[in-house]
Amino acid sequence: MKKILLIGFELFIAIQFIPYGRDHTNPPVVAQVQWDTQETQDLFQRACADCHSNETKWPWYSNIAPLSWSIYHHVDEGREHFNVSMWGVQKKNKGDEAAEEVEEGEMPLASYLIAHPEARLTKEEKQALIAGLKNTFGNEKDEDEE
């Protein structure tokens, strides 16, 4: 049993030297969204901005592998699909899907909520965020009907 624990510990130490997930340099904010209300912006900052903007607040544990790998991947993927810091500049920016993701419970991710209880929204806050996202970015269904 001691040998297994020792090997596990050595492996944990060894993976700390893998550089993936350690670059916590936020890219510059290139463009800003014109939010429909300050409330929408505040709710977005609280529940979404760490993964969907270039203003990520990197927690201390984002420096520890293998958590660093997962966190970095989530932020990278979140920015790729929807990034308010690149609004109007980044070609693939799915703002019109943001409300739908929140409405369906896909966002914020459950794993994010575990470490960020402040991102949990009440039912009323969730509805306000959904409405605000639709007002700010449009509604994909409305655009499809045109």
Side-chain angles (χ1 to χ4, degrees), residues 4-18:
I4 293 172
L5 286 174
L6 182 60
I7 291 170
F9 180 72
E10 288 172 349
L11 181 61
F12 177 76
I13 296 301
I15 67 173
Q16 300 312 308
F17 293 98
I18 298 172

Side-chain angles (χ1 to χ4, degrees), residues 71-133:
I71 293 166
Y72 187 81
H73 174 73
H74 281 272
V75 171
D76 192 45
E77 190 173 281
R79 287 176 177 168
E80 178 184 328
H81 291 286
F82 176 49
N83 186 345
V84 298
S85 299
M86 300 290 287
W87 195 251
V89 177
Q90 180 174 305
K91 290 185 191 241
K92 184 180 177 185
N93 217 345
K94 301 180 177 182
D96 57 349
E97 296 176 9
E100 186 179 336
E101 295 282 327
V102 174
E103 205 163 22
E104 293 175 354
E106 299 293 323
M107 291 289 155
L109 295 174
S111 58
Y112 182 78
L113 294 173
I114 291 168
H116 300 272
E118 71 280 0
R120 290 187 189 279
L121 303 175
T122 66
K123 186 177 179 180
E124 294 78 18
E125 289 172 328
K126 185 176 177 179
Q127 290 305 314
L129 179 59
I130 292 166
L133 290 170

